[in-house]
Amino acid sequence: MMSMNEQLKEAFGQIRAEDQLKKKTKEFLSQKTSSGSRKQKINYWQVVPVCLCILVFVFGGHWLYFEPTAEISIDINPSVELELNRFNRVISVESYNRDGEELLESLDVKFLNYSEAVERIMKQEKIVSLLESDEIMTVSVVGDNQIQSKEILNHIKGCTNKSENIYCYYVKSEEVENAHEAGLSCGKYKVFLEIQELDPRITAKEVKNMSMKELRDLLKELSGTDQEKPEPHEKRKRHGRCK
């Protein structure tokens, strides 16, 4: 049996609970009935900045990712160029002769890190065969961002630092446009300029499908000197791995 005091406490407790329940119910119903007119306005002003942020992120991120900041030109006789973004990813590829087209058709290097892309090219069956036949390969790095370009160049040099027929060097950005206008890769254009100094009658069209070894042999013939391979410190490894 509960005492009188206990019964009174329980009764007052129930009254308070009912009052609180009524209050909460009233607040809930009031919220629901008024949300119809306020909801649209509140959500509208909340959604606008969110949408703007999404647009900035999507289009800004797209611009950052697909903005070219460096190029790697690889010439042996396949002549190809890899265009890189600021994250060192290959965002586009370009061939500059039929052999280059065949090489790119046999490989999928887009969106790879440049290191993996270069390694895949070096390991391609035809490239391996050409290098083993003592053909000459040049790897040119181009870019306005000198820090990125130097890092790429040094990395590729480190991957190929024992080969006697792979040569790596930096090409100035201003030469790129002239090379492409001539229909040549940056690597071939560099040698073409040296050849043209000795014989201006030779055109870009004539050298387009020549291998790098043929170009250097022609340069040697025109100069009348022993135009051998670049200085020893530029020699690179034949089948080095790029990681």
Side-chain angles (χ1 to χ4, degrees):
M1 293 284 295
M2 287 191 295
S3 66
M4 180 64 71
N5 287 336
E6 288 173 339
Q7 289 176 355
L8 288 171
K9 284 181 182 179
E10 184 178 8
F12 280 115
Q14 288 174 352
I15 292 169
R16 287 196 203 98
E18 288 176 3
D19 287 340
Q20 288 176 355
L21 181 61
K22 288 176 183 177
K23 185 179 178 182
K24 287 182 179 178
T25 303
K26 185 178 179 181
E27 288 174 354
F28 175 79
L29 291 172
S30 176
Q31 225 175 12
K32 284 294 181 182
T33 54
S34 62
S35 63
S37 59
R38 291 194 330 223
K39 187 175 182 180
Q40 187 174 1
K41 185 179 290 185
I42 293 171
N43 285 347
Y44 175 77
W45 290 111
Q46 288 176 340
V47 167
V48 167
V50 172
C51 289
L52 288 174
C53 288
I54 292 171
L55 288 172
V56 170
F57 177 77
V58 170
F59 290 103
H62 183 276
W63 175 77
L64 284 172
Y65 191 89
F66 287 98
E67 181 192 20
T69 57
E71 289 183 14
I72 301 175
S73 176
I74 300 174
D75 299 278
I76 183 164
N77 186 31
S79 286
V80 298
E81 284 184 1
L82 313 179
E83 203 168 52
L84 313 180
N85 64 14
R86 67 190 68 246
F87 309 110
N88 290 331
R89 293 278 170 177
V90 179
I91 54 174
S92 70
V93 294
E94 186 69 44
S95 61
Y96 284 87
N97 54 20
R98 180 57 191 163
D99 288 341
E101 289 177 18
E102 292 175 356
L103 175 64
L104 293 179
E105 285 172 2
S106 70
L107 297 171
D108 184 12
V109 297
K110 281 190 73 174
F111 307 120
L112 294 179
N113 182 279
Y114 79 87
S115 177
E116 186 178 352
V118 170
E119 183 175 5
R120 286 192 183 186
I121 290 172
M122 295 293 189
K123 286 184 171 183
Q124 202 266 356
E125 186 177 352
K126 183 174 182 179
I127 299 299
V128 171
S129 177
L130 288 168
L131 289 172
E132 288 177 348
S133 301
D134 290 327
E135 288 288 340
I136 294 173
M137 173 183 281
T138 62
V139 182
S140 315
V141 177
V142 188
D144 290 325
N145 185 327
Q146 291 190 1
I147 294 176
Q148 182 188 26
S149 299
K150 285 180 180 179
E151 286 179 352
I152 293 170
L153 182 60
N154 290 335
H155 182 77
I156 294 175
K157 282 181 177 181
C159 293
T160 59
N161 62 2
K162 291 183 181 178
S163 178
E164 295 183 356
N165 55 339
I166 300 179
Y167 308 100
C168 307
Y169 49 83
Y170 176 77
V171 176
K172 294 179 180 178
S173 297
E174 51 265 29
E175 294 180 27
V176 176
E177 188 175 345
N178 293 333
H180 293 173
E181 284 179 0
L184 299 174
S185 63
C186 297
K188 277 194 175 179
Y189 186 71
K190 182 179 175 69
V191 182
F192 168 65
L193 290 180
E194 295 180 54
I195 290 172
Q196 209 174 41
E197 282 184 8
L198 299 170
D199 188 348
R201 297 171 298 175
I202 296 175
T203 66
K205 187 175 180 179
E206 291 178 273
V207 304
K208 184 179 178 69
N209 290 309
M210 294 175 69
S211 69
M212 291 304 295
K213 185 174 183 181
E214 289 171 336
L215 287 174
R216 289 199 173 274
D217 286 344
L218 176 59
L219 184 60
K220 177 181 175 181
E221 181 184 335
L222 291 171
S223 65
T225 60
D226 198 11
Q227 285 283 338
E228 292 297 337
K229 299 167 184 178
E231 291 78 7
H233 71 273
E234 291 184 343
K235 293 185 178 182
R236 308 292 169 239
K237 187 175 180 180
R238 176 172 294 173
H239 300 303
R241 290 180 60 84
C242 298
K243 295 181 180 178

